[in-house]
Amino acid sequence: MNTAAQRPEVHTRLHYMDNLRALAMLTGVVFHAALAYSVLAHPFWPTADKGQSLIVDAFAWFVHLFRMPLFFVVAGFFAALLVQKRGIGGMLKNRFMRIVLPLIAFWPLVYFSMSWLIRTAITEVEHLSPLLQMIKPWLANPQAPSAPPTLVHLWFLAYMMCFCILVWVASTLELHKHFARLDRALSAWTPMKTVGLVPLLLMPALFDVPAPFPAPESFFPQWWAILFYGTYFLIGFRLFHQGQWLEQLSPFAPRLLLISLLAYALFLYLLQTNGMAKPDLLLQAVLVLLQAYIGYWMTLVCIIFGQRWLDKPRGALRYIADASYWVYLVHLPLIFVIQIPLMDVNLHWGVKLSLSLCATLGIAFLTYHLFVRSHLLGKFLNGNNLSSKTA
């Protein structure tokens, strides 16, 4: 199955993969901006506003189930492309330059700016969110222990590099030879059999975390995240070598989308009715099952539709793809800067969400265009991959 004929040409621009990666990152901006007006996220989001809506929950948690899985599939796909193009060593060097160095450079700026913003909000905002109300006396106590630092929203960079290192380990140990029989068995699966069985492999990882599954922001690797997102990374890695698999699955994409939407309606209903209570074992199993299948099926739907509609060299989409890395790195502090003053403003939640989202994206794209794209920072983030500056 892994013949060279089935792999994309390494010098061919994979526009739909670039665009899917960009859209996954930009969806993250929308998701984080929306959490301030979510009913479910209200108890634990720092900028949670007094205005909330179930409409926000319906959108936010739906995209949450497949946004990062899609991103890791794309990451695995590009890792396989780099291995074929440059070898294992070249892939690791590229990933170190594009992942590790930006993480080292941006993490202190993001983490300490957000810490300062939270402290500022506690002292200046009148209508504090439940989380800030809980933090306020803790910060006022000089004897209180310091909270351990987290990777904040940059956690995906650490896990992506971890998976690339695991590819190198597997290649060095020649593990493909030991699992050749298993690989042949998996390759023999029909697309629909894969659609039905792969989510079952994702379920064990989700049993250990609440629903919807959280972001693994800790500096210590979390086994569930390695297993869960690592499976998606492996799916993308294999997808590079088995492109015909998507073609066989393409006719079923509308049905997968419809079933996913129906399954999500049930998932959201169960979340709303259970509230903050810890689910019993049966309910937890149902929530895990729904998350695994919705996330996997919607990831496939996005890739199939992306290949169908986004695989063209469009200047605007390429510009967004180039800018998306910078936008995602800086967006969360920008959201906090904008939403913290809005917590005391008496406006409809929809107006606040629109203001915070438009201002965040506007500032992020403007700073990218003025200070990043044509400068050293742009090369640092995007390498030599910038195309013509049309858009």
Side-chain angles (χ1 to χ4, degrees):
M1 296 289 286
N2 298 349
T3 62
Q6 295 164 342
R7 303 169 185 167
E9 292 293 333
V10 296
H11 298 294
T12 300
R13 190 80 203 178
L14 299 168
H15 300 285
Y16 79 100
M17 281 293 181
D18 271 337
N19 294 329
L20 284 173
R21 177 170 54 187
L23 292 176
M25 285 190 171
L26 294 182
T27 304
V29 180
V30 180
F31 173 73
H32 287 139
L35 288 181
Y37 312 101
S38 161
V39 177
L40 286 173
H42 189 78
F44 58 82
W45 190 248
T47 59
D49 196 88
K50 54 186 177 182
Q52 312 161 44
S53 174
L54 291 176
I55 297 175
V56 174
D57 284 299
F59 168 78
W61 300 114
F62 180 61
V63 299
H64 171 75
L65 294 181
F66 61 88
R67 175 179 63 89
M68 292 310 297
L70 172 62
F71 179 82
F72 278 102
V73 169
V74 176
F77 186 94
F78 279 118
L81 184 148
L82 283 170
V83 169
Q84 179 172 313
K85 186 177 180 180
R86 305 183 184 182
I88 290 290
M91 182 272 291
L92 286 178
K93 180 180 178 181
N94 176 278
R95 298 295 84 182
F96 179 83
M97 298 295 292
R98 295 286 306 280
I99 296 174
V100 177
L101 292 185
L103 176 60
I104 294 173
F106 280 87
W107 175 81
L109 299 175
V110 171
Y111 178 78
F112 289 108
S113 65
M114 291 183 63
S115 298
W116 178 80
L117 286 167
I118 288 175
R119 290 175 180 271
T120 302
I122 288 174
T123 59
E124 297 185 3
V125 173
E126 180 181 353
H127 298 92
L128 293 176
S129 66
L131 180 62
L132 294 185
Q133 292 177 25
M134 183 181 68
I135 294 176
K136 185 174 182 178
W138 176 69
L139 288 178
N141 181 9
Q143 305 298 325
S146 301
T150 69
L151 290 167
V152 286
H153 68 293
L154 305 184
W155 61 266
F156 77 101
L157 294 174
Y159 280 89
M160 196 157 56
M161 192 65 214
C162 173
F163 298 146
C164 290
I165 292 174
L166 290 177
V167 169
W168 168 70
V169 171
S171 175
T172 302
L173 298 179
E174 297 184 333
L175 293 183
H176 62 282
K177 294 182 178 179
H178 301 285
F179 293 98
R181 182 176 298 179
L182 176 61
D183 184 68
R184 287 194 297 270
L186 292 176
S187 299
W189 282 7
T190 63
M192 291 310 297
K193 187 175 183 180
T194 305
V195 164
L197 296 180
V198 167
L200 299 178
L201 302 178
L202 298 166
M203 290 179 61
L206 298 178
F207 265 105
D208 195 45
V209 293
F213 52 84
E217 297 177 349
S218 170
F219 267 91
F220 297 98
Q222 300 181 30
W223 77 268
W224 78 266
I226 293 176
L227 178 59
F228 183 70
Y229 291 114
T231 301
Y232 279 109
F233 186 90
L234 180 60
I235 290 170
F237 200 92
R238 289 178 58 86
L239 183 61
F240 175 79
H241 299 284
Q242 297 178 332
Q244 83 291 342
W245 183 78
L246 276 183
E247 298 176 6
Q248 298 171 12
L249 191 61
S250 182
F252 302 97
R255 276 173 276 182
L256 291 178
L257 174 60
L258 177 60
I259 297 172
S260 297
L261 291 172
L262 294 175
Y264 177 69
L266 175 60
F267 176 76
L268 187 62
Y269 171 78
L270 293 175
L271 282 182
Q272 296 291 341
T273 54
N274 192 61
M276 296 300 296
K278 184 178 180 179
D280 56 35
L281 184 60
L282 178 59
L283 179 58
Q284 175 73 356
V286 173
L287 292 174
V288 165
L289 179 74
L290 291 172
Q291 288 182 101
Y293 275 90
I294 296 169
Y296 181 64
W297 288 348
M298 282 304 303
T299 299
L300 294 179
V301 168
C302 288
I303 295 174
I304 292 170
F305 286 166
Q307 190 179 47
R308 187 179 302 173
W309 296 327
L310 300 177
D311 198 21
K312 294 180 180 179
R314 297 170 180 169
L317 285 176
R318 182 58 202 275
Y319 185 90
I320 293 173
D322 291 339
S324 62
Y325 197 5
W326 165 260
V327 173
Y328 194 81
L329 289 174
V330 303
H331 81 277
L332 200 53
L334 290 176
I335 288 176
F336 277 39
V337 166
I338 297 160
Q339 287 186 341
I340 286 173
L342 288 176
M343 294 169 72
D344 286 334
V345 178
N346 189 22
L347 287 173
H348 187 270
W349 65 266
V351 177
K352 291 184 179 182
L353 175 57
S354 300
L355 286 173
S356 58
L357 185 57
C358 291
T360 298
L361 291 175
I363 294 171
F365 276 104
L366 181 62
T367 53
Y368 171 77
H369 190 81
L370 295 178
F371 307 115
V372 179
R373 181 169 176 80
S374 302
H375 299 78
L376 183 62
L377 186 54
K379 185 175 181 180
F380 175 65
L381 293 178
N382 294 324
N384 296 315
N385 294 331
L386 290 182
S387 59
S388 61
K389 301 176 178 62
T390 54

